[in-house]
Amino acid sequence: MKDKLEILQCLIVNRAFAPSHSALAKELGYKGKMAVYRLMNGEAKEATVEKVWRLLKAHFSLDDDGLCGIARMFYGLNYFYDALVGGLNRRGAEWADSLVASIASGNFEDFTDEFKAVTAAVLNDLRTDEPDTYWGVVTLAYLRAKGIDTYKYIAKDETWKIIDLFDGILAGLYPEKTEAREAARNMKRLNTAPSLWNVVHTCVILFRLYTESDYRSEVTKVMQILPFGTTSYWREPSTPYSEGREAWLLVCQSFGRCTSGFYIALRLKAGGDIRTFTVEDALVLQFWLVESEDDLPVVQVFRGYGAERTWCFYVYEYDDERQELRFDLIPDMGQPLGLPGTLAMIDIESPADKDEKVWARIMEEWDCLCGDDALRQARQALSGIIDESDAYRIADVNISRTALTLVIEHQGAAREYEIAVGAYGFLSEINPSQRVVITRHIADGELYAEWADLGYSVKLSEFSDKGAVQGVLGLT
């Protein structure tokens, strides 16, 4: 009990879940605030401690380790804050930004010799052993240094401004992490954090996406693949085929795992003949993993990319026996994106009746004729990235201690492009076998060398053009 009491006192005094004792009591369903005050004074009964512990876990979807982990962030803040602030040469008005940038990049050159000799080593160990705690400490230290009261932002539904502060610092350090930048945009749009802890949790994810090359694989585990195959066609139940009718194509995009991924969904409208469909809409569906009986089965839906991306949430149900997906929009959570109430899968292999046989035949024909092209265009519309692999073929990749070299064939000629390994930290981790393609980003029209599997991209204009290459790909 003593450990739980101390942890609860730490969380309450640091306002992890509410701006005040009375606000927390109300959040947890207490009619008055005395239970929380008794707990803070060490006068609460064991049953009260256990009840508050249980209510916090249920209300904020945490387990025992989660509550302990949040407390460790605050303990870490109190342990490291004076050393961080006292160890930094605080010149200029933006010294708190410099603090975060130094910690994120692991560059402690602007810190005192004593800090570098003692505190830096302890911080590096924490970063390796407990990254969530480490980045939680960094987030809280920045908020304290800037004098930011998170609950003032929460009251105005403006927590996106806090995320934007961190994103600005990190994007400046890691401009090549385009995937992390897109994730930050999505986080800012959600803007639904009810407590300091939720904001810190979001910032921890953001830090790890920017600074850890393999963290994306952890994040994607929460997006589950459902049991209806890689490619599936759907219609509203019992809808016969005719001009103007709609069908949906769902294509699974896995992350190299058999259980994690998302879906590109195309809404198709039938034309005047059996081979003509127009693509009316392209969406991304992310079915969130249900980890406990208290979790709702939620699908997050996106349209577009970058600053223009819109999103919403639905509660869903998949009936495996009837092969039906049912959607119920969650109100006031983004802009509704037009999923129908129910979709029934078209059984391509064994259609059940005449109507389904017609749909199955037509969808197979359309897929053979137009499916690949429609999916390619949908990917472009949802990512803002055009794959230029056909026009710009990577013929060779060479890496030395000092430079990365790409040999690119374009219009029958091969040219060599070189960039210093020191230009971006991730280049020292790249190996020639990793997939790299040339893409064009719609937002700026520029060509990029893109390591999509790793979430990195670099403008081709940042490479030095070393000229034509002879004797490559049969060229003379």
Side-chain angles (χ1 to χ4, degrees), residues 176 349 353 397 417 421:
E176 73 279 11
E349 299 297 326
D353 54 33
V397 180
Y417 295 84
V421 168

Side-chain angles (χ1 to χ4, degrees), residues 243-277:
E243 184 177 357
R245 296 290 190 182
E246 291 186 347
W248 289 75
L249 166 64
L250 269 60
V251 182
C252 180
Q253 310 290 293
S254 72
F255 298 109
R257 299 169 55 88
C258 62
T259 56
S260 301
F262 64 94
Y263 293 83
I264 292 176
L266 301 184
R267 180 164 62 88
L268 309 171
K269 179 180 283 189
D273 62 73
I274 62 172
R275 295 186 175 184
T276 302
F277 281 85

Side-chain angles (χ1 to χ4, degrees), residues 4 37 61 158 252 344 405 460:
K4 285 186 177 179
Y37 275 98
S61 301
E158 292 181 344
C252 180
T405 304
L460 194 60

Side-chain angles (χ1 to χ4, degrees), residues 389 394 396-397 406 432-438 448-452:
S389 296
I394 302 291
D396 202 4
V397 180
L406 302 178
S433 65
Q434 288 168 324
R435 182 173 177 267
V436 55
V437 297
I438 302 301
Y448 284 75
E450 191 115 17
W451 288 265

Side-chain angles (χ1 to χ4, degrees), residues 10 59 78 133 138 277 281 290 307 371 443 456 468-469:
C10 170
H59 199 73
N78 294 330
T133 302
V138 173
F277 281 85
D281 205 357
V290 177
Y456 297 117
V469 180

Side-chain angles (χ1 to χ4, degrees), residues 407-419:
V407 179
I408 302 174
E409 184 192 25
H410 176 57
Q411 295 181 342
R415 301 187 72 84
E416 191 174 77
Y417 295 84
E418 183 179 279
I419 190 170

